[in-house]
Amino acid sequence: MAQEEASALAPRSTVRFWLEAGSAILDPDRRILFIDDSLARWLEEESPGLAGKNFDCLLRSRIPAWGKDLDEVWTDSSNLGRRRLKHDCTNGAQWYSLEVARNIAGWFIRLSSALPPHEELAGDAWDQHLGGVAERRQMYVRLLRAEAQLDNLVRRWPGVIFSQRADFSFQFVSPRIEELTGIPVELWRRQPKRFWEVIHEADVEEVKQQCKLAAESAQGVTNAYRIRHVRTGQLSYVLEHRQAVLSRTGLLLAYEGAWLDITRQTIAEKRLCTAAWKETLATLTMGLAHDFGNIISGIFSLDMGHR
């Protein structure tokens, strides 16, 4: 029956308008129980006439290239799914987001237009994809979400995320740096020498060598060192990953990297090593005392015998 419906519908490759979150409810066999007007219009049909029709066949007849993606959507064992779909039409590629929720009663479907991946939004593609109000609105929403996710990551990261200029001042640095060093973010952005002032004097030369190595390595470098709080004098251990940003000619432009606060782990490891050394020393001492006691007992017995 599904194959007959698909063959009865002629494939269409017309340019489609922007679809703002069209939705449908399907039975377990993917026949339409309800479909809203926006999705029906996108399918170039009337809502009342779509009841009972197979939604999968309708999509395949309109955009045959989605066949493989749809097969994977319907056979996915998870109850929730989301997939980006691409449609190549006369005015260029159009992108869609297909969201699927499944339960024993059937399926809930949400299909909406989406902006292309960021790597495709280059040059003239911006004008092509952001020509309408809905497209610009979605780009604005996407930027807000990305900004919120970045802000959440920066605040929850148990360390510091930074972008550091070649002179070691910070173009960007997360707020946690003030907690570790006692220096406000604003000062970090203006004063390059601050970086070397907070590093423990015994680690400065090693950190300089690591920075030099990072500028020569495409993979970046990772090392651990100590930093000092300028007001309290408290030492913290940080694990740093540093990646150089180079120009096409190999000129060092900046560093991108992160600190991970490993103070607790480092102190715990040192205590563990000390405890293990003390336990070993105690065992060795007890063994020596026992053996020495045996020797003394023998000597004492010989001495008593001669008397």
Side-chain angles (χ1 to χ4, degrees):
M1 179 62 184
Q3 293 179 349
E4 294 175 359
E5 285 190 43
S7 60
L9 293 167
R12 306 178 189 179
S13 59
T14 57
V15 177
R16 305 200 178 276
F17 57 85
W18 184 269
L19 176 60
E20 192 76 32
S23 59
I25 300 175
L26 317 177
D27 68 10
D29 295 324
R30 297 189 288 277
R31 291 189 294 264
I32 297 174
L33 301 175
F34 164 81
I35 187 168
D36 66 10
D37 291 337
S38 60
L39 183 53
R41 286 196 304 270
W42 184 84
L43 290 169
E44 300 177 11
E45 301 282 353
E46 295 293 333
S47 302
L50 289 175
K53 291 188 177 181
N54 188 283
F55 183 74
D56 176 55
C57 293
L58 288 170
L59 284 183
R60 291 173 189 268
S61 67
R62 270 42 173 190
I63 307 180
W66 286 2
K68 182 178 179 181
D69 290 296
L70 292 174
D71 287 338
E72 295 177 357
V73 168
W74 307 130
T75 57
D76 189 351
S77 59
S78 61
N79 293 327
L80 298 173
R82 185 173 187 177
R83 182 173 292 265
R84 292 177 66 88
L85 302 171
K86 184 179 181 182
H87 173 40
D88 293 312
C89 53
T90 54
N91 69 332
Q94 294 180 345
W95 288 82
Y96 297 88
S97 173
L98 177 63
E99 299 174 76
V100 177
R102 175 172 57 181
N103 57 33
I104 58 174
W107 305 76
F108 175 78
I109 305 295
R110 183 189 296 271
L111 181 67
S112 57
S113 295
L115 289 174
H118 65 86
E119 60 269 14
E120 293 198 11
L121 285 176
D124 297 336
W126 282 95
D127 296 332
Q128 175 183 335
H129 292 288
L130 300 179
V133 174
E135 291 90 333
R136 291 194 293 271
R137 185 189 304 119
Q138 193 191 54
M139 173 58 76
Y140 178 69
V141 171
R142 178 186 286 188
L143 289 174
L144 288 179
R145 288 176 178 171
E147 188 177 64
Q149 290 173 351
L150 177 60
D151 183 68
N152 186 50
L153 172 63
V154 166
R155 294 184 181 280
R156 292 178 179 273
W157 177 260
V160 176
I161 300 174
F162 64 83
S163 176
Q164 193 174 35
R165 301 183 184 93
D167 66 354
F168 294 100
S169 61
F170 287 86
Q171 183 176 357
F172 167 82
V173 63
S174 56
R176 184 85 191 281
I177 197 168
E178 183 172 359
E179 179 183 335
L180 292 173
T181 66
I183 301 174
V185 172
E186 294 74 16
L187 294 181
W188 279 111
R189 293 173 178 170
R190 300 195 305 266
Q191 300 179 4
K193 293 182 180 180
R194 288 286 187 177
F195 180 69
W196 301 110
E197 290 176 358
V198 301
I199 298 176
H200 192 279
E201 53 272 10
D203 297 336
V204 170
E205 289 303 320
E206 181 183 354
V207 174
K208 287 183 177 180
Q209 291 299 321
Q210 292 295 321
C211 291
K212 183 179 179 181
L213 183 61
E216 300 170 352
S217 172
Q219 302 299 322
V221 296
T222 301
N223 66 306
Y225 55 88
R226 293 164 289 179
I227 58 176
R228 179 181 286 108
H229 196 286
V230 295
R231 292 197 297 269
T232 65
Q234 180 179 352
L235 287 177
S236 299
Y237 293 81
V238 295
L239 180 67
E240 178 190 86
H241 180 76
R242 179 179 294 267
Q243 182 86 36
V245 180
L246 306 175
S247 68
R248 293 182 179 179
T249 59
L251 178 66
L252 176 64
L253 301 177
Y255 295 102
E256 305 285 351
W259 289 350
L260 181 63
D261 186 359
I262 58 170
T263 304
R264 291 184 178 180
Q265 297 92 314
T266 304
I267 292 175
E269 288 175 2
K270 289 186 175 182
R271 288 178 177 173
L272 181 61
C273 290
T274 302
W277 178 82
K278 287 181 178 179
E279 183 180 355
T280 302
L281 181 61
T283 304
L284 180 62
T285 302
M286 290 176 62
L288 289 172
H290 178 72
D291 293 340
F292 185 71
N294 289 338
I295 295 173
I296 293 298
S297 296
I299 294 173
F300 184 75
S301 297
L302 288 174
D303 184 61
M304 292 297 292
H306 285 298
R307 291 183 182 181

